[in-house]
Amino acid sequence: MRLPRTSGITAFALSVLLALTMSLMTAPSAQAGQTGIRGADPSVLRVGGTYISVQSTGAGINVRQASSTGGLASAAARQVWSDTGNLGEVWAPEIVRDGGRYYIYFSAGRGAAHRMYVISSATPDSGYGAATKLALPDDKWAIDGTLFTFNGQRWFVWSGWAGTTNVEQNLYIARMSNPTTPTGGRYIISQPRESWERVVGNPFINEGPEAIKDPNGQLHITYSANGSWSEQYCIAELRLKAGGDPTYVWDWYKSNGCLFGSNRATMMAGWDPTLYVNGPGHHTFVLLDGDIATSPPAGPTFPLMYHGVPKGTPYSWENRSWYTGSFCWWGNTTYSRANVPGANTDTGWSLKFFE
């Protein structure tokens, strides 16, 4: 592991990174963080001392429970839903806890028919009913959706198409009146238009959005860029300016490169590429109750899970595994932009990711 550059950081933050570095130096390099779970798109939350994950089986959804993220690989996988209605390919389930109830959002369909669905239960690993299609505004192709609450309002964020053809995948946001009911319009918040997120395309991609709140209470949405079939896959982010409107695209500032990736050419200045894994992406912040109100403070590192392929192994969907990792907040970070409304720069918290 390489230490990031230290310009603008506190001595405390540096001490945290030094301690983390020393602890990782003894880890087996080729397998650092790799779990025994083959596949993509981890979604994990913590309830008390229990870690709960969901994963697609292709035609159904499994839930695992364990006392640690690393223990999920040896936990029994319990199928909680199957595609008896022949909806089609089941992708990227996301587990959310809202009002003490569990909701699993997932995309299902074939080709251009992919739409978002939800199932819910009072318990994490049983009791789920039939899937309900989310009535997202405009009813366009949609994947990778997740629910979160920010400033007392429920929001749904997902990856989708502007129209009916596969030109590019954008990130959209909409209000929710409850965990299963969108309300109002959909609003675009990100398009894959920067050079570093257009290295691998056809289509160009912004997907796998995950919400988190920084120590100042500002909203961030991290996401995966570049084709998931390539080792150029990486994690970047959007930061909502202080007091900004989540539905107004120019209140969001995008990181000036990947924050977690395996190719130096696409990394944001001051962020180094991974040492052990290629194409890290489609991640999950492992938060208490999955609630962004429990996002970590400045200083400590917190659990993360993501998928990737070990370096030295051909990069393909079939070779992806879940990995455990960690993350922490990184302060005094400026994102810049040009030729758009609003200020050209915004300075605030960013994120550091660790294998």
Side-chain angles (χ1 to χ4, degrees):
M1 172 182 171
R2 298 184 185 90
L3 279 177
R5 297 164 198 156
T6 58
S7 174
I9 67 172
T10 65
F12 175 71
L14 180 58
S15 69
V16 170
L17 287 169
L18 286 170
L20 181 63
T21 301
M22 295 303 294
S23 70
L24 289 178
M25 285 177 68
T26 58
S29 61
Q31 302 296 323
Q34 188 176 14
T35 73
I37 300 177
R38 298 298 295 270
D41 310 335
S43 176
V44 184
L45 55 76
R46 177 170 68 88
V47 179
T50 301
Y51 294 81
I52 304 165
S53 72
V54 291
Q55 185 179 25
S56 171
T57 64
I61 296 171
N62 285 348
V63 169
R64 291 181 174 91
Q65 297 186 82
S67 59
S68 67
T69 55
L72 289 168
S74 58
R78 183 169 183 175
Q79 184 163 298
V80 299
W81 180 83
S82 60
D83 184 17
T84 57
N86 194 30
L87 295 175
E89 304 153 333
V90 176
W91 291 349
E94 284 275 324
I95 188 165
V96 171
R97 196 164 185 245
D98 186 292
R101 191 171 180 85
Y102 296 88
Y103 296 86
I104 299 176
Y105 300 90
F106 61 93
S107 178
R110 294 178 179 86
H114 272 275
R115 297 295 189 273
M116 290 304 306
Y117 294 82
V118 62
I119 56 177
S120 70
S121 175
T123 56
D125 64 347
S126 64
Y128 291 90
T132 299
K133 179 184 172 184
L134 285 184
L136 291 175
D138 297 336
D139 190 27
K140 304 298 185 185
W141 187 90
I143 66 168
D144 296 355
T146 191
L147 179 85
F148 65 93
T149 298
F150 177 67
N151 287 347
Q153 171 66 56
R154 290 184 181 91
W155 299 91
F156 196 78
V157 60
W158 72 98
S159 176
W161 298 348
T164 58
T165 56
N166 191 8
V167 176
E168 63 182 1
Q169 288 177 222
N170 306 316
L171 298 184
Y172 295 93
I173 197 168
R175 292 180 176 86
M176 301 284 283
S177 59
N178 59 53
T180 60
T181 309
T183 183
R186 70 167 181 166
Y187 301 90
I188 195 166
I189 59 173
S190 182
Q191 295 173 280
R193 300 292 176 84
E194 301 300 320
S195 60
W196 51 267
E197 55 186 353
R198 295 174 68 86
V199 179
V200 174
N202 192 25
F204 297 110
I205 282 173
N206 284 177
E207 65 184 14
E210 293 290 329
I212 193 165
K213 190 163 66 172
D214 73 25
N216 288 344
Q218 289 174 236
L219 179 63
H220 297 240
I221 292 180
T222 52
Y223 66 94
S224 297
N226 289 308
S228 64
W229 56 92
S230 162
E231 65 181 30
Q232 295 283 352
Y233 205 49
C234 71
I235 295 173
E237 79 140 344
L238 305 170
R239 179 175 65 216
L240 185 67
K241 76 174 188 180
D245 176 359
T247 69
Y248 182 54
V249 64
W250 302 123
D251 280 355
W252 292 95
Y253 285 77
K254 182 176 289 191
S255 58
N256 297 128
C258 303
L259 302 180
F260 196 37
S262 54
N263 294 276
R264 181 172 294 280
T266 59
M267 300 301 293
M268 181 166 162
W271 273 248
D272 286 314
T274 51
L275 294 178
Y276 312 125
V277 63
N278 278 332
H282 205 122
H283 60 302
T284 180
F285 298 112
V286 184
L287 302 177
L288 179 63
D289 294 321
D291 184 358
I292 69 168
T294 68
S295 295
T301 58
F302 279 74
L304 172 82
M305 293 197 80
Y306 59 95
H307 79 237
V309 174
K311 286 186 181 292
T313 300
Y315 199 95
S316 68
W317 283 344
E318 293 75 16
N319 287 339
R320 294 175 297 184
S321 295
W322 287 19
Y323 282 78
T324 61
S326 59
F327 70 96
C328 72
W329 290 107
W330 201 257
N332 196 31
T333 304
T334 298
Y335 296 159
S336 60
R337 63 191 189 184
N339 303 318
V340 298
N344 287 337
T345 62
D346 183 81
T347 300
W349 291 100
S350 186
L351 291 146
K352 289 284 185 179
F353 296 93
F354 307 102
E355 294 172 89

